[in-house]
Amino acid sequence: MREKVCGIALGILLAVLVVVSLGMGTYDLAASDIPSILFAAVTGTPVDAEQKATTVLLVIRIPRILIAALAGAALAVSGAAYQGIFKNPMVSPDILGVSSGAGAGAALALILGLPSVMVHGVSFAFGVAAVLTVMTLARAFGKSGNALVVMILAGTVISSLFTAVTSLLKYVADPDDTLPLITYWLMGSFARSGNDTNMGLMTICLMVGAGVLVALRWRINVMSFGDEEARSMGVNVRASRAAIILASTLLTSVTVCMCGSVGWVGLIIPHAIRLVTGPNYKSLIPLSMLGGACFTLLVDDVARLIVPGELPVSVLTALIGAPLFIYLLAKGRKEWL
């Protein structure tokens, strides 16, 4: 019952945030113009509103709203999956180095002056390479009893390595041109991500990655009690863990390469949903997607309104996420499983 109520509430909140976000921004749109512009866009009929208002709504705001919601859903569901297979609610999607790897790839591509599509491609490749390296190290040096510990330690090492590479690239970058690009990209933003190509790629990756996690959510439930219990119930732990990690990595890396580094979403949203509905991944996976979409839309709206320009998204997610996470920790002192 709690799951249904939470799902309905999050669905209503998401719809409200989408409607509110349509009117958010430095260019004031008349509330009466929005329905007519949307109706004209769907039916192909002429619109009475100004051309500038139509361009702002259809070319800038709607794509930005969609990319923000998709990114939030991807980060939150990957965070929920990571927390389940590592049996720890403190785990975030970047624990295996995907965020730092994708950041290093983007920094390298920006220094080389590659076009935007190549920046995204190199960033994605580096993020996937980081996770594959971690999994290879865990398989080579980890034993059945400590494989998760070795994987986490390897992720910490690889993450530190790619962070150092990013710092080195920033040090040698042109301070007047390339360095600001790298710095602002790493801060995260949805402002430049909302185009047809990015939305299509994000939608496909979310469908594939989240589809795998939804299909395996019952295995995450079993694996959260330990590998031995999962094996006794006929679960192929190694194959299931690999599939879950790869799906979560796909979601995280594509978000980082499209929108930059957006922290805290994959950590606090699954934790908050778990405190409300419990640790059943049958509902936690879809509810985390809804919660993540709501959170990123809310943060993006605040980022556009709090200063004359806009704040980087990662700054606000940290300012909102850190106190919220402390509150969640204080509220959920009991063991989460």
Side-chain angles (χ1 to χ4, degrees), residues 99-108 111 126 158-175 178-180 182-183 185-186:
S99 295
S100 56
L108 176 62
I111 286 180
F126 269 63
I158 296 300
S159 180
S160 299
L161 177 62
F162 277 111
T163 300
V165 171
T166 302
S167 298
L168 177 62
L169 292 172
K170 291 169 69 175
Y171 180 77
V172 301
D174 183 353
T178 311
L179 181 58
I182 297 174
T183 301
W185 187 90
L186 292 174

Side-chain angles (χ1 to χ4, degrees), residues 194-251:
N195 56 57
D196 294 340
T197 301
N198 288 353
M199 286 191 297
L201 182 59
M202 277 290 297
T203 301
I204 293 173
C205 290
L206 183 61
M207 292 175 62
V208 173
V212 171
L213 297 180
V214 168
L216 297 179
R217 65 190 186 277
W218 70 272
R219 297 192 183 187
I220 302 178
N221 272 336
V222 176
M223 292 169 64
S224 63
F225 290 101
D227 292 354
E228 294 300 326
E229 289 80 358
R231 291 191 185 96
S232 67
M233 298 184 68
V235 175
N236 187 331
V237 174
R238 175 174 291 184
S240 298
R241 181 177 292 125
I244 293 167
I245 289 176
L246 290 176
S248 301
T249 298
L250 171 66
L251 295 173

Side-chain angles (χ1 to χ4, degrees), residues 20-303:
V20 171
S21 299
L22 291 174
M24 291 286 184
T26 55
Y27 182 84
D28 292 329
L29 281 175
S32 59
D33 288 341
I34 295 177
S36 61
I37 294 174
L38 294 177
F39 179 79
V42 173
T43 60
T45 56
V47 61
D48 295 331
E50 295 182 4
Q51 181 61 38
K52 186 175 181 180
T54 303
T55 302
V56 168
L57 183 63
L58 298 181
V59 179
I60 298 176
R61 291 192 184 168
I62 290 180
R64 180 168 181 164
I65 290 169
L66 292 176
I67 204 74
L70 291 171
L75 291 173
V77 73
S78 61
Y82 275 129
Q83 291 170 11
I85 61 173
F86 288 110
K87 302 183 287 293
N88 191 334
M90 305 298 120
V91 171
S92 61
D94 57 357
I95 190 172
L96 299 184
V98 57
S99 295
S100 56
L108 176 62
L110 290 172
I111 286 180
L112 295 176
L114 300 179
S116 177
V117 175
M118 291 298 296
V119 172
H120 293 163
V122 174
S123 174
F124 178 77
F126 269 63
V128 173
V131 174
L132 293 178
T133 302
V134 170
M135 295 179 67
T136 301
L137 292 174
R139 176 171 294 186
F141 301 110
K143 299 179 181 179
S144 58
N146 65 349
L148 286 178
V149 175
V150 173
M151 186 176 294
I152 293 174
L153 292 176
T156 303
V157 171
I158 296 300
S159 180
S160 299
L161 177 62
F162 277 111
T163 300
V165 171
T166 302
S167 298
L168 177 62
L169 292 172
K170 291 169 69 175
Y171 180 77
V172 301
D174 183 353
D176 297 324
D177 184 19
T178 311
L179 181 58
L181 286 177
I182 297 174
T183 301
Y184 286 116
W185 187 90
L186 292 174
M187 288 182 179
S189 175
F190 303 119
R192 301 179 181 179
S193 304
N195 56 57
D196 294 340
T197 301
N198 288 353
M199 286 191 297
L201 182 59
M202 277 290 297
T203 301
I204 293 173
C205 290
L206 183 61
M207 292 175 62
V208 173
V212 171
L213 297 180
V214 168
L216 297 179
R217 65 190 186 277
W218 70 272
R219 297 192 183 187
I220 302 178
N221 272 336
V222 176
M223 292 169 64
S224 63
F225 290 101
D227 292 354
E228 294 300 326
E229 289 80 358
R231 291 191 185 96
S232 67
M233 298 184 68
V235 175
N236 187 331
V237 174
R238 175 174 291 184
S240 298
R241 181 177 292 125
I244 293 167
I245 289 176
L246 290 176
S248 301
T249 298
L250 171 66
L251 295 173
T252 304
S253 58
V254 74
T255 302
V256 173
C257 77
M258 294 290 178
C259 310
S261 180
V262 183
W264 290 92
V265 180
L267 180 61
I268 64 173
I269 297 302
H271 197 78
I273 299 296
R274 188 182 294 109
L275 289 178
V276 175
T277 65
N280 185 358
Y281 281 84
K282 179 180 179 181
S283 57
L284 185 60
I285 292 292
L287 290 178
S288 293
M289 295 175 65
L290 285 174
C294 292
F295 183 74
T296 49
L297 277 179
L298 177 62
V299 169
D300 191 45
D301 287 343
V302 175

